[in-house]
C-alpha cells in the first residue's frame, strides 16, 4: 500500500501488487500530472527516500529495484513532482525535516545532517560554489558510513539522489545563480510581460501593493519591493507573469 501524493490527479492510498512499475502507479492509477503538466520526479519511501527521474518510471516498485537506484520502499510514501519543482529545494526540505528526527546519539547523524541542510540552503540562497557541492558529497558519505542506525544512513538519500539525477539544477544555482524551476526566492525575479491585458487582478491581489498600472495597460512590478510570493502569477489568467 502506497500513499500517493503530490502533483498527481488521484491522491490517496493505493494498493498495488509488488513489482508494478512506477509509471503504472502514477499514470494508470494516479491519473498522471494535473493540467497536463510534465512529470519530473518521484520520491519513494518517505522523507529518507531518494528522488527518481522520468527515465526511472518503468522501474518495478519493489524492495531490490528501488534500493539499487538510490531509493527505497520505506514507509510506502510516494511523492510525485512536476517540472515546477526545484530539486535542490526538495533536498533542503527533507534535510530540514530529518535533522530534527535525529536522536543525537551519534555525532555524524546529529551534526552531519544539520550541516548538510546548511550547505544545501547556501546553494538555494545563492551562496553556494562548486566546493559546496563537493563538501555535500563528501559529508553524505561520512554520514552514511558513521551513523549508528538507519535514520542516519538513509537521511542522505534525498540530497544524494537529487545530485545524481538533477545535477544540472545544482550547477544552475551555483554557476548562474538561477533557479530553473523558479522556486528559490533569492534567485528569481517576477516580471509582467507584454501578454498583460491590464485586467488589474494581480494589482488588486498583490499583498505588498507593488504592482502599478492602469486598466487595460501593461502592469509593472517594483522588483525592489516584491516579496516574491507568487500570487500575481497564480491569479493571472493570461500567463503574463514570467519568473526568471
Amino acid at each position: 500500500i502506497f500513499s500517493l501524493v503530490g502533483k498527481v490527479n488521484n491522491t490517496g492510498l493505493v494498493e498495488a501488487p509488488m513489482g508494478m512499475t512506477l509509471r503504472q502507479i502514477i499514470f494508470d492509477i494516479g491519473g498522471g500530472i494535473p493540467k497536463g503538466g510534465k512529470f519530473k520526479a518521484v520520491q519513494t519511501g518517505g522523507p529518507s527516500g531518494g528522488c527518481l527521474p522520468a527515465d526511472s518510471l518503468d522501474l518495478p516498485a519493489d524492495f531490490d529495484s528501488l534500493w539499487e537506484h538510490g531509493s527505497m520502499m520505506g514507509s510506502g510514501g510516494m511523492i510525485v513532482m512536476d517540472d515546477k519543482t526545484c530539486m535542490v529545494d526538495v533536498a533542503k526540505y527533507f534535510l530540514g525535516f530529518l535533522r530534527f528526527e535525529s536522536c543525537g546519539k551519534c555525532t555524524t547523524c546529529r551534526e552531519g545532517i544539520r550541516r548538510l541542510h546548511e550547505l544545501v540552503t547556501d546553494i538555494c540562497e545563492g551562496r553556494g560554489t562548486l566546493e559546496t557541492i563537493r563538501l555535500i558529497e563528501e559529508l553524505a558519505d561520512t554520514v552514511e558510513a558513521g551513523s549508528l542506525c538507519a535514520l542516519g544512513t538513509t537521511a542522505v538519500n534525498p540530497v544524494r539522489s537529487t545530485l545524481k539525477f538533477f545535477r544540472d539544477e545544482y550547477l544552475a544555482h551555483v554557476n548562474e545563480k538561477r533557479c530553473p524551476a523558479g522556486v528559490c526566492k533569492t534567485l528569481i525575479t517576477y516580471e509582467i510581460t507584454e501578454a498583460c491585458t491590464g485586467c488589474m487582478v494581480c494589482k488588486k491581489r498583490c499583498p505588498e501593493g507593488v504592482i502599478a498600472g492602469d486598466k487595460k495597460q501593461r502592469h509593472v512590478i517594483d522588483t525592489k519591493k516584491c516579496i516574491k510570493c507568487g500570487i500575481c502569477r497564480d491569479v493571472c489568467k493570461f500567463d503574463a507573469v514570467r519568473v526568471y
Side-chain angles (χ1 to χ4, degrees):
I1 296 178
F2 295 95
S3 173
L4 186 63
V5 297
K7 299 300 179 66
V8 63
N9 281 307
N10 305 322
T11 59
L13 295 178
V14 174
E15 186 174 3
M18 188 71 69
M20 177 177 274
T21 67
L22 296 173
R23 186 187 302 277
Q24 289 173 310
I25 295 173
I26 296 169
F27 287 90
D28 294 345
I29 299 177
I33 313 301
K35 301 179 181 179
K38 185 178 179 182
F39 171 87
K40 186 172 190 177
V42 59
Q43 187 198 38
T44 69
S48 296
C51 298
L52 302 173
D55 58 9
S56 296
L57 276 172
D58 293 316
L59 197 68
D62 60 46
F63 289 93
D64 293 338
S65 299
L66 293 176
W67 186 259
E68 289 173 4
H69 285 76
S71 192
M72 59 184 181
M73 290 284 280
S75 59
M78 193 172 287
I79 304 174
V80 181
M81 307 168 202
D82 64 7
D83 57 355
K84 294 181 180 179
T85 305
C86 172
M87 303 311 295
V88 187
D89 182 67
V90 166
K92 182 185 78 169
Y93 173 81
F94 286 112
L95 286 169
F97 172 83
L98 291 164
R99 64 178 173 157
F100 290 112
E101 293 300 301
S102 173
C103 73
K105 183 175 182 178
C106 51
T107 306
T108 48
C109 178
R110 182 185 68 244
E111 300 299 327
I113 299 175
R114 179 188 61 81
R115 183 62 181 137
L116 280 172
H117 180 260
E118 291 176 352
L119 291 169
V120 175
T121 299
D122 283 344
I123 293 178
C124 287
E125 296 182 356
R127 299 186 296 271
T129 64
L130 293 176
E131 175 65 11
T132 307
I133 295 177
R134 189 195 67 77
L135 284 173
I136 289 172
E137 293 175 320
E138 181 180 341
L139 183 54
D141 291 341
T142 302
V143 172
E144 180 184 39
S147 296
L148 294 174
C149 79
L151 187 139
T153 59
T154 61
V156 300
N157 285 337
V159 65
R160 182 179 280 166
S161 62
T162 51
L163 264 172
K164 177 181 178 180
F165 297 117
F166 303 96
R167 196 178 192 87
D168 57 327
E169 289 196 36
Y170 280 83
L171 293 176
H173 282 70
V174 168
N175 294 330
E176 304 171 32
K177 305 303 178 187
R178 178 178 66 88
C179 176
V183 172
C184 299
K185 289 186 177 182
T186 307
L187 304 180
I188 61 175
T189 300
Y190 282 82
E191 178 187 57
I192 299 177
T193 68
E194 294 179 355
C196 176
T197 63
C199 71
M200 302 189 73
V201 173
C202 64
K203 182 177 180 179
K204 294 176 182 177
R205 295 290 299 276
C206 177
E208 297 297 305
V210 299
I211 298 179
D214 296 326
K215 191 173 183 178
K216 295 185 179 181
Q217 293 184 357
R218 178 181 174 182
H219 291 7
V220 177
I221 299 174
D222 185 341
T223 56
K224 293 182 179 179
K225 298 179 180 179
C226 175
I227 61 173
K228 305 173 185 179
C229 64
I231 291 177
C232 55
R233 183 170 62 169
D234 293 338
V235 301
C236 183
K237 299 178 180 180
F238 306 97
D239 197 25
V241 181
R242 180 172 72 101
V243 182
Y244 65 93

